[in-house]
Amino acid sequence: MKKEIVYQAVVFDLFGTLIDNFSISEYKSILSEMAQLLDAPPNLFIQLWFDTFKKRCIGEFKNIDENISYVCRKLNLNPIISKIKDAAQIRFSFTQKSITPKEDAIETLNYIRRQGLKTALITDCSIETPTILENTPFKKLFDVCVFSCIVGVKKPDKKIYEIACSELSISTDKCLYCLL
């Protein structure tokens, strides 16, 4: 006889699951706008920005300004601080606009919670995402949020899942990872 698994929590990813992934063409357009503001060659700026993805995700940059400054240094540029801040605002606004729930995402999370299950979010993201999520409908729908940029590990490292389960006070075998 097969033993039935009784789940106590459901863990969700943010990008591509609860919200749409960035449109690559729109993202490159935003990065080009940032590059132009910084007097950086757009193609090189974009490539270096993509090259810093993992550093952003594991929190090596404490803010977007640091990430922009790092890319500028690699390009031998030294833009004034106000331009870096303006470029960071472009990035922040783009991310903020992108964090829009998919149809049925909020309804699904509410349904799961009404069933008595805990909910968690695990996401690979840069440092602006936790701040932005504070002002979305998602904030009140998770018992635990684990952001790669804060914990210093990203998926698929099992440690990020173990962190979520530990914070939920449940064992990993009692947690379902959900992709919508």
Side-chain angles (χ1 to χ4, degrees):
M1 178 183 265
K2 194 172 186 180
K3 185 178 177 184
E4 181 179 328
I5 297 174
V6 178
Y7 293 109
Q8 296 175 350
V10 181
V11 176
F12 290 87
D13 186 13
L14 183 62
F15 297 97
T17 301
L18 297 173
I19 67 171
D20 289 322
N21 280 320
F22 294 155
S23 152
I24 195 70
S25 61
E26 186 180 7
Y27 191 40
K28 283 183 175 181
S29 176
I30 292 299
L31 293 173
S32 289
E33 185 180 339
M34 291 167 62
Q36 182 179 2
L37 180 68
L38 298 162
D39 298 319
N43 289 339
L44 292 175
F45 183 88
I46 291 168
Q47 185 57 56
L48 284 168
W49 189 265
F50 286 143
D51 290 348
T52 61
F53 173 74
K54 183 175 181 187
K55 289 178 183 286
R56 270 192 303 285
C57 282
I58 62 170
E60 285 191 28
F61 302 114
K62 69 180 178 191
N63 56 46
I64 294 301
D65 298 34
E66 272 191 14
N67 193 171
I68 293 167
S69 295
Y70 175 88
V71 170
C72 287
R73 281 192 307 277
K74 290 288 188 183
L75 294 171
N76 294 315
L77 299 173
N78 190 19
I80 59 173
I81 292 175
S82 64
K83 284 190 175 190
I84 292 171
K85 294 216 172 291
D86 289 346
Q89 184 57 50
I90 290 168
R91 161 68 186 210
F92 185 88
S93 296
F94 172 74
T95 305
Q96 188 173 38
K97 186 184 93 171
S98 299
I99 299 182
T100 302
K102 281 185 175 182
E103 186 177 338
D104 296 334
I106 301 299
E107 182 181 328
T108 299
L109 289 165
N110 278 318
Y111 176 80
I112 290 168
R113 291 174 66 80
R114 283 193 307 271
Q115 302 312 304
L117 296 168
K118 294 179 181 181
T119 55
L121 176 72
I122 295 176
T123 189
D124 290 343
C125 63
S126 54
I127 200 66
E128 77 274 15
T129 301
T131 302
I132 292 169
L133 271 174
E134 288 290 322
N135 299 307
T136 71
F138 290 123
K139 176 58 182 157
K140 66 180 191 279
L141 297 174
F142 294 109
D143 298 293
V144 168
C145 292
V146 180
F147 302 102
S148 64
C149 60
I150 293 174
V151 299
V153 293
K154 62 187 267 330
K155 298 176 289 171
D157 188 325
K158 72 178 185 171
K159 189 173 185 178
I160 199 166
Y161 302 99
E162 292 168 347
I163 291 168
C165 289
S166 175
E167 288 185 21
L168 287 167
S169 298
I170 62 170
S171 62
T172 55
D173 64 334
K174 300 292 184 189
C175 190
L176 178 67
Y177 186 72
C178 184
L179 298 172
L180 291 179

